[in-house]
Amino acid sequence: MKPGPLVLLTLLAVLHLTGAVASENSIAFLGPKGSYSDQAASEYASRAKLTGTIPLATITQIAQSGRDGRVQYGLLPFENSIGGFVGETHRLLLSPQDAGWHVIAEVTLID
């Protein structure tokens, strides 16, 4: 029996830091333009009527941009079918230093 095509399932969490006031109503995402995260961020920005998307290189940079008020939301990888859960995102959500982060939406990509 020949194996079927590999289906990549990625769950991304849209996060908001309680009490944060941002200069822009935008969303930061992990990765370069053209990535799956960019696609998900663009889809969410359109649905939520956000002004734009901002690519960043690390999960830490996304969290810092929310703390600094550069963005209103962050889109972080939560789980994918190849690598499983994304530890750095889970650590951010469970961190006592960043207790104000809340998941407010989910974006699922299937390829």
Side-chain angles (χ1 to χ4, degrees):
M1 179 180 206
K2 193 173 180 182
L6 176 65
V7 175
L8 175 65
L9 170 65
T10 303
L11 299 175
L12 299 118
V14 178
L15 302 178
H16 175 67
L17 184 59
T18 302
V21 177
S23 57
E24 288 186 45
N25 192 20
S26 57
I27 187 167
F29 67 91
L30 181 64
K33 288 282 188 185
S35 65
Y36 286 120
S37 290
D38 179 24
Q39 176 187 344
S42 295
E43 287 176 17
Y44 183 79
S46 177
R47 273 196 326 240
K49 299 186 180 11
L50 302 180
T51 57
T53 62
I54 300 171
L56 294 173
T58 68
I59 290 172
T60 301
Q61 287 177 346
I62 292 170
Q64 191 62 47
S65 68
R67 280 188 223 104
D68 293 346
R70 289 179 283 167
V71 297
Q72 187 75 24
Y73 305 97
L75 179 77
L76 297 177
F78 195 75
E79 185 176 359
N80 70 60
S81 58
I82 294 174
F85 78 93
V86 179
E88 192 174 352
T89 299
H90 288 255
R91 282 189 293 281
L92 173 68
L93 290 171
L94 298 172
S95 169
Q97 295 90 346
D98 284 319
W101 283 107
H102 297 284
V103 176
I104 60 165
E106 173 184 300
V107 180
T108 302
L109 295 177
I110 300 173
D111 184 34

